[in-house]
Amino acid sequence: PIPCVPWQSQTSGQYQRRVHGEATAIQQDEAQRDAETRRNALIALIEICKTVGIEDLNSGVSNDKSTILASPTGDSAPSSENHTEVKDESDTAQKCDDKNTADAVTKISATFIRCTADYCCDNRGDVGSWIREAALVGLEQFIILLVTAGDRCAGGDPWLEDAFLLDVICAIFKQIMEKMRRTRKVAGDVFHRLLSFKNPTIMFPHRERLDKIFY
């Protein structure tokens, strides 16, 4: 279980980890399963991502550069004899930031993909469809955040990798083939909006073939 930490003392990264690691999971005990909580957790997760931005999704590393660049004497600028040491600390912190951000992106992506396979039912029927639909919309918004964020800070690699985008296509197409008309519509609308997004264009695998099929 995740330790209970007061929300006031949690970083944005710690809070989003708590949301996607705990609240979106299907409880083993059927009596404790709460579809509304899982759906609302997904909605909260994407809102956190939109609020803090991709570059600030890291956990445990302060983004306050004034702390890194402050001189040992407490002045706002480092003294000349400590300049090299402070620069090394800044570079180390940046590398750590990049790794933590990449880890957060990977975990959040996996959460949305996992939740598109929620098929829990109760006396109200297929309540898992609420989670699947929220996950599809969350995936759409998260992908747009990633593609508009540009390249990663370290190495210049794009945030959106082909393997992840292929998983997204498979998850969307699976929901397009569902029995429930509402779920099919949500999935189709999400896919249409992602293909139509041009600022910049989302380079799905086999993008040219997808454009020929759907346009």
Side-chain angles (χ1 to χ4, degrees):
I2 300 176
C4 183
V5 181
W7 68 267
Q8 296 93 334
S9 63
Q10 294 181 357
T11 66
S12 61
Q14 290 171 333
Y15 188 71
Q16 59 86 9
R17 271 210 321 274
R18 187 181 184 89
V19 169
H20 82 252
E22 186 173 292
T24 64
I26 300 175
Q27 292 83 359
Q28 294 295 324
D29 185 352
E30 292 187 9
Q32 294 183 355
R33 291 179 182 175
D34 187 345
E36 288 90 345
T37 295
R38 298 199 301 280
R39 177 196 60 195
N40 294 340
L42 286 171
I43 295 172
L45 179 56
I46 191 59
E47 289 301 320
I48 290 170
C49 296
K50 289 159 63 177
T51 300
V52 304
I54 296 301
E55 296 301 330
D56 290 331
L57 284 178
N58 63 79
S59 56
V61 179
S62 172
N63 283 327
D64 185 0
K65 293 179 176 58
S66 63
T67 302
I68 298 173
L69 298 177
S71 68
T73 60
D75 298 331
S76 58
S79 58
S80 57
E81 60 269 20
N82 291 311
H83 178 74
T84 302
E85 180 181 353
V86 173
K87 184 177 184 299
D88 291 342
E89 291 176 359
S90 179
D91 291 343
T92 301
Q94 181 63 58
K95 291 178 181 178
C96 190
D97 269 354
D98 295 339
K99 181 180 183 302
N100 287 333
T101 301
D103 289 345
V105 167
T106 299
K107 291 176 182 177
I108 293 170
S109 303
T111 295
F112 284 121
I113 293 292
R114 169 174 56 80
C115 289
T116 62
D118 189 322
Y119 285 89
C120 289
C121 296
D122 62 16
N123 57 359
R124 296 168 292 183
D126 182 9
V127 293
S129 64
W130 306 343
I131 291 87
R132 299 197 301 274
E133 292 167 13
L136 289 171
V137 175
L139 269 174
E140 174 195 355
Q141 296 178 358
F142 193 56
I143 287 171
I144 290 175
L145 282 175
L146 290 172
V147 75
T148 54
D151 295 337
R152 303 176 190 235
C153 293
D157 297 326
W159 286 112
L160 289 172
E161 299 178 349
D162 285 350
F164 168 57
L165 289 174
L166 188 59
D167 288 342
V168 170
I169 293 176
C170 291
I172 292 175
F173 281 8
K174 187 175 188 300
Q175 297 308 310
I176 288 177
M177 302 302 294
E178 285 293 323
K179 294 180 179 180
M180 296 182 64
R181 181 180 300 176
R182 186 194 66 220
T183 302
R184 295 201 306 268
K185 183 179 186 306
V186 170
D189 288 346
V190 164
F191 190 60
H192 174 71
R193 289 193 295 266
L194 287 175
L195 281 184
S196 302
F197 190 79
K198 303 295 183 183
N199 192 28
T201 299
I202 301 169
M203 296 308 297
F204 287 103
H206 311 294
R207 173 75 203 217
E208 292 183 0
R209 294 181 63 185
L210 289 172
D211 287 340
K212 289 180 179 179
I213 293 171
F214 292 99
Y215 289 101

